[in-house]
């Protein structure tokens, strides 16, 4: 039985058959990790803000948005899987916990025209006016997902949006064409500027494939101009931050880098998002691995049109903060970000990247649960994930499918999940975990309609 209303951050909403936001999740909306100055996520946020001084900075926008903001305004199709209640936390059919910071793109762009001061006033560095033309939004985002060391149903993103007057872009393109014609293209100057940005091979970045097309509203040159600007900015940001991280680690373990200067190769993989085209996924090679850190692209012109900014063209990126923070600070488990244990929180200070020192790991306790899938209802794994979270809170470290088979005669499917319980700050007793596991089993029968084996 659902309550008729639920309250999020002091506002009451009516519930309906879409409502699936759990109390555990709703609690997280008030944690405000990005505002705790010594929290690794807040430190990273500030480092990124600093790299974009001429952008308006938002980190204060409520996670409760309309379905329109999160999906429709960005051109998500009616049947896009992201809309599904198995992936998204709904407050009700029309209201949800944002699944990405892109939910604020249209609203913030349009705030300029609509003189929406209430919204614009949330910007921190008001000197960056006009605050709807270039902005960053850092925020908590919510997605129903599996449970393991790198997935948590709440995480943080940084959205970047930068728009240009199309007339100005045309102007710059004309001037560049003149200059190239005069000096013989790829002259010494061009080579020098390529050298300078040696981390970014900008020549790769303008390649725009068939499956990743320039929008019909844009010329190829315009789109390339915007994409190059975006890639240069993102590249600079990432290099600045990783350089800081390497410097911090050097002082502790003396990591050698080539020619004394760290290098971070970057690559851009073609991607698809409903609200950008062309689109890319940015990956950085760091400590032996290609790390996928953000989606980005040239903003759909229809969004600019809807914002009353048809005369402008822009780029956007959406950057996950946890992944990078785990790397920079050497944080091994995503749950630690939510820890209030002073052995975690006291290790960090504003404007500093330092390597997390693991405090003793407490023994884990593992329980398996085997069951037959319901034959009438559909079974969604994420329902099980939420159920375990509701019952065990942050004592659950991972839930993994370890076996699945169909009975040859009955055709029924059996699954076995392994639940790993482990506290980050104390030893758990087998007794207490048994009680939790019993409760999980009971709820699985009652709520998910499975038959335990
Ligand atoms: N919002 C996208 C995501 O969460 C990332 C993105 C942002 C992609 C902006 C393109 C432009 O996956």
């Amino acid at each position: 039985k659902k309550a008729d209303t639920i309250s999020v951050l002091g506002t009451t909403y009516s519930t309906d058959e879409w409502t699936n936001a759990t109390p555990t999740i709703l609690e997280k909306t008030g944690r405000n990790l990005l505002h705790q100055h010594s929290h690794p996520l807040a430190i990273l946020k500030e480092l990124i803000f600093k790299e974009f001084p001429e952008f308006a900075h938002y980190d204060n926008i409520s996670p409760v948005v309309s379905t329109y903001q999160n999906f429709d305004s960005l051109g998500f199709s009616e049947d896009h899987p992201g809309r599904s209640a198995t992936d998204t936390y709904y407050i009700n059919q029309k209201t949800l916990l944002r699944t990405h910071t892109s939910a604020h793109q249209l609203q913030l762009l349009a705030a300029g025209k609509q003189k929406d001061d209430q919204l614009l006033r949330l910007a921190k560095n008001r000197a960056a006016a006009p605050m709807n033309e270039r902005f960053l939004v850092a925020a908590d985002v919510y997605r129903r997902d599996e449970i393991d060391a790198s997935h948590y149903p709440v995480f943080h993103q940084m959205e970047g949006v930068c728009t240009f007057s199309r007339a100005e872009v045309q102007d710059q393109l004309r001037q560049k064409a003149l200059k190239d014609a005069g000096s013989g293209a790829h002259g010494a100057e061009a080579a020098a500027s390529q050298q300078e940005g040696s981390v970014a091979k900008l020549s790769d970045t303008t390649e725009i494939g068939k499956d990743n097309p320039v929008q019909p509203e844009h010329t190829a040159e315009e789109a390339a101009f915007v994409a190059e600007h975006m890639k240069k900015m993102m590249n600079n940001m990432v290099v600045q931050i990783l350089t800081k991280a390497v410097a911090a680690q050097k002082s502790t373990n003396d990591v050698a880098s080539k020619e004394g200067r760290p290098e971070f190769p970057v690559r851009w993989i073609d991607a698809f998002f409903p609200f950008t085209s062309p689109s890319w996924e940015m990956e950085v090679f760091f400590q032996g691995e290609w790390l996928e850190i953000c989606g980005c692209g040239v903003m759909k012109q229809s969004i600019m049109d809807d914002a009353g900014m048809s005369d402008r063209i822009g780029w956007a990126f959406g950057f996950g903060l946890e992944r990078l923070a785990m790397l920079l600070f050497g944080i091994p488990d995503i749950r630690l970000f939510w820890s209030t244990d002073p052995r975690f929180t006291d290790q960090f200070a504003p404007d500093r990247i330092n390597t997390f020192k693991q405090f003793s790991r407490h023994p884990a306790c593992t329980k398996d649960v085997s069951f037959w899938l319901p034959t009438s209802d559909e079974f969604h794994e994420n329902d099980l994930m939420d159920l375990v979270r509701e019952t065990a809170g942050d004592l659950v470290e991972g839930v993994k499918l370890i076996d699945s088979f169909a009975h040859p005669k009955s055709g029924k499917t059996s699954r076995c999940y392994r639940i790993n319980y482990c506290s980050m700050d104390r030893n758990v007793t087998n007794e207490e975990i048994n009680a939790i596991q019993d409760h999980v089993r009971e709820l699985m029968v009652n709520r998910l309609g499975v038959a335990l084996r």
Side-chain angles (χ1 to χ4, degrees):
K1 273 166 288 158
K2 265 181 217 166
D4 291 341
T5 62
I6 51 177
S7 162
V8 193
L9 295 171
T11 305
T12 303
Y13 301 86
S14 56
T15 59
D16 59 22
E17 67 280 10
W18 284 74
T19 310
N20 64 354
T22 61
T24 313
I25 288 300
L26 294 175
E27 238 168 61
K28 300 286 194 286
T29 60
R31 279 292 297 279
N32 279 324
L33 298 185
L34 290 179
H35 293 161
Q36 295 167 20
H37 299 300
S38 297
H39 193 281
L41 292 171
I43 297 168
L44 177 56
K45 173 198 79 176
E46 287 299 336
L47 288 175
I48 298 174
F49 278 171
K50 267 198 204 132
E51 294 299 320
F52 294 87
E54 68 284 21
F55 285 51
H57 301 163
Y58 296 91
D59 63 2
N60 249 326
I61 309 181
S62 166
V64 180
V65 301
S66 64
T67 307
Y68 175 82
Q69 282 177 293
N70 200 79
F71 295 122
D72 304 73
S73 76
L74 293 163
F76 280 74
S77 63
E78 213 52 66
D79 58 357
H80 192 284
R83 289 181 186 259
S84 141
T86 58
D87 290 9
T88 298
Y89 288 108
Y90 281 88
I91 307 292
N92 56 44
Q93 184 174 17
K94 292 218 157 76
T95 319
L96 52 82
L97 296 177
R98 71 184 150 226
T99 65
H100 56 176
T101 42
S102 303
H104 301 293
Q105 280 189 11
L106 176 58
Q107 171 195 24
L108 285 171
L109 289 166
K113 195 123 226 148
Q114 295 164 359
K115 304 251 181 308
D116 185 348
D117 279 338
Q118 207 186 336
L119 186 60
L120 295 175
R121 220 177 307 131
L122 292 177
K124 288 171 90 186
N125 55 338
R126 311 210 69 209
M131 283 170 297
N132 66 317
E133 293 183 354
R134 279 180 303 275
F135 54 83
L136 296 178
V137 184
D140 41 340
V141 302
Y142 298 76
R143 292 187 198 173
R144 301 187 75 199
D145 212 334
E146 58 206 275
I147 301 179
D148 64 30
S150 60
H151 289 89
Y152 201 80
V154 193
F155 58 102
H156 295 79
Q157 283 187 328
M158 175 76 78
E159 192 85 0
V161 167
C162 182
T163 68
F164 306 83
S165 143
R166 292 182 79 175
E168 263 166 43
V169 171
Q170 292 298 347
D171 237 34
Q172 289 208 29
L173 286 169
R174 258 194 304 274
Q175 279 174 28
K176 186 170 168 278
L178 282 176
K179 211 160 105 195
D180 285 353
S183 67
H186 314 300
E189 206 184 340
S193 74
Q194 283 253 320
Q195 269 286 295
E196 219 185 325
S198 59
V199 272
K201 286 232 239 64
L202 288 180
S203 49
D204 300 347
T205 71
T206 48
E207 249 174 62
I208 289 168
K210 252 212 300 339
D211 301 326
N212 198 11
V214 171
Q215 299 164 51
E217 292 93 329
H218 299 154
T219 68
E221 291 75 21
E222 253 183 324
F225 176 94
V226 171
E228 286 204 17
H229 183 269
M230 173 185 81
K231 290 174 178 180
K232 223 194 296 195
M233 299 282 286
M234 289 171 60
N235 198 79
N236 281 343
M237 162 185 64
V238 168
V239 168
Q240 289 297 331
I241 289 170
L242 294 184
T243 302
K244 257 192 201 149
V246 169
Q249 290 174 2
K250 228 190 210 143
S251 58
T252 49
N253 355 311
D254 201 34
V255 178
S257 65
K258 272 185 234 158
E259 295 144 23
R261 211 170 133 252
E263 274 185 59
F264 308 104
V266 163
R267 66 183 186 193
W268 305 90
I269 311 289
D270 280 335
F272 174 83
F273 302 100
F275 39 96
T276 50
S277 190
S279 310
W280 297 273
E281 204 75 73
M282 181 196 200
E283 298 188 350
V284 183
F285 197 73
F286 186 64
Q287 300 181 336
E289 259 187 284
W290 283 105
L291 188 71
E292 186 191 306
I293 52 175
C294 112
C296 60
V298 179
M299 293 170 76
K300 282 276 174 77
Q301 201 57 32
S302 56
I303 299 177
M304 306 301 293
D305 294 344
D306 291 345
M309 297 171 97
S310 302
D311 56 334
R312 302 183 72 83
I313 179 170
W315 54 251
F317 66 70
F319 189 89
L321 295 184
E322 268 79 354
R323 268 258 188 103
L324 193 59
M326 286 172 85
L327 241 128
L328 297 183
F329 295 90
I331 294 170
D333 189 315
I334 197 166
R335 290 179 306 167
L336 280 163
F337 290 117
W338 299 90
S339 169
T340 51
D341 187 324
R343 285 176 299 173
F344 176 77
T345 55
D346 290 354
Q347 289 195 26
F348 309 100
D351 205 27
R352 202 183 68 179
I353 297 177
N354 56 291
T355 306
F356 169 66
K357 286 192 203 66
Q358 179 82 60
F359 42 88
S360 69
R361 207 190 116 82
H362 294 269
C365 179
T366 295
K367 302 279 170 196
D368 291 349
V369 55
S370 301
F371 56 90
W372 298 107
L373 293 189
T375 40
S376 48
D377 274 329
E378 237 179 307
F379 175 83
H380 288 291
E381 195 170 86
N382 284 345
D383 291 333
L384 173 63
M385 300 294 168
D386 269 333
L387 188 154
V388 178
R389 256 186 215 296
E390 281 303 281
T391 318
D394 280 352
L395 284 182
V396 58
E397 186 177 54
V399 178
K400 217 165 78 196
L401 179 66
I402 56 169
D403 189 32
S404 176
F405 71 90
H407 191 277
K409 288 227 178 79
S410 69
K412 285 201 289 189
T413 303
S414 164
R415 285 202 190 166
C416 179
Y417 282 87
R418 175 155 297 166
I419 307 178
N420 226 29
Y421 296 97
C422 177
S423 164
M424 285 176 302
D425 37 43
R426 63 189 178 86
N427 285 329
V428 290
T429 65
N430 201 35
E431 255 175 349
E432 109 186 89
I433 296 305
N434 275 339
I436 293 174
Q437 180 74 1
D438 284 347
H439 196 197
V440 165
R441 291 168 64 90
E442 187 186 313
L443 288 175
M444 285 177 69
V445 173
N446 294 344
R447 285 206 212 151
L448 307 182
V450 308
L452 297 175
R453 304 187 48 208

